[in-house]
Amino acid sequence: PGNRLNEGAVAPDGSFWVGTMQTNLEPDGSPRAQTQNSGSYYRLSPQLELQQLTSSEYGITNTMAWLPGGLFVTADTSANTLYAFDMSMDGRPVNRRIFHAGFSRGLPDGSCIDADGYLWNCRVAGGACVARFAPDGSIDRVVELPCSWPTSCAFGGAELDTLYISSARFTMSDDYLASHPFEGAIFAVEVGVRGKPAHLFAC
């Protein structure tokens, strides 16, 4: 009670994973302050069986990506931290450790994986960029954007060689938006690498 869904993705095994957070919205959609870290991760199997995967300790669950070799990477936006997990034999995330923490450009939001196994992470809340992280968690490069709140990204196009990026206008005033017309836009960027097809739910 008091939580909402925030981020979802299909895992390599065809199950659907979703993360929760304490709701930060009033009934009319206006912002509400968060007072606790109560988010956790859940797995919905192809047989529609629901399983809680972690304890309820995350501020804002974000990013769900499976790197080559089975490493699961996710983020707690409010902690400005990307975490890495190993996957157990029964499909649970175990052995949590820090993948990358403290990057000064905004906070981690949605991500995707490219064909080289690198993570592209949108930096929300003033980051104005997408950062590409190597499989060891180091920053490979940063792509600048004309918006301050990029929210998520995905590779698309016939060759999966265009990075599409969404952005948000949440909490921004009318005066600010009038002078920053690209907030809330969707962008297409040629980044010189290709993505990977998304996993599909195995229903």
Side-chain angles (χ1 to χ4, degrees), residues 2-28:
N3 277 7
R4 69 168 178 85
L5 306 182
N6 190 60
E7 180 85 342
V10 177
D13 67 354
S15 62
F16 179 69
W17 289 36
V18 65
T20 63
M21 60 179 283
Q22 183 186 30
T23 185
N24 59 345
L25 301 170
E26 297 291 353
D28 65 358

Side-chain angles (χ1 to χ4, degrees), residues 51-136:
Q51 175 187 26
Q52 185 170 345
L53 298 173
T54 68
S55 58
S56 300
E57 61 179 296
Y58 295 92
I60 301 176
T61 56
N62 249 318
T63 290
M64 292 185 191
W66 289 262
L67 275 61
L71 194 70
F72 173 61
V73 176
T74 188
D76 187 340
T77 300
S78 57
N80 193 15
T81 300
L82 288 155
Y83 295 105
F85 293 80
D86 297 317
M87 296 295 295
S88 67
M89 293 297 293
D90 62 354
R92 297 176 62 91
V94 295
N95 189 27
R96 189 183 82 173
R97 63 269 195 195
I98 292 175
F99 183 75
H100 192 97
F103 182 41
S104 61
R105 296 285 300 272
L107 302 171
D109 206 320
S111 300
C112 64
I113 300 292
D114 65 28
D116 297 325
Y118 284 58
L119 180 83
W120 293 80
N121 177 240
C122 289
R123 306 299 299 187
V124 76
C129 68
V130 178
R132 187 188 194 223
F133 290 89
D136 64 1

Side-chain angles (χ1 to χ4, degrees), residues 9-17 43-47 199-203:
V10 177
D13 67 354
S15 62
F16 179 69
W17 289 36
R43 177 183 183 271
L44 184 68
S45 75
Q47 295 74 39
H199 304 296
L200 301 179
F201 187 68
C203 58

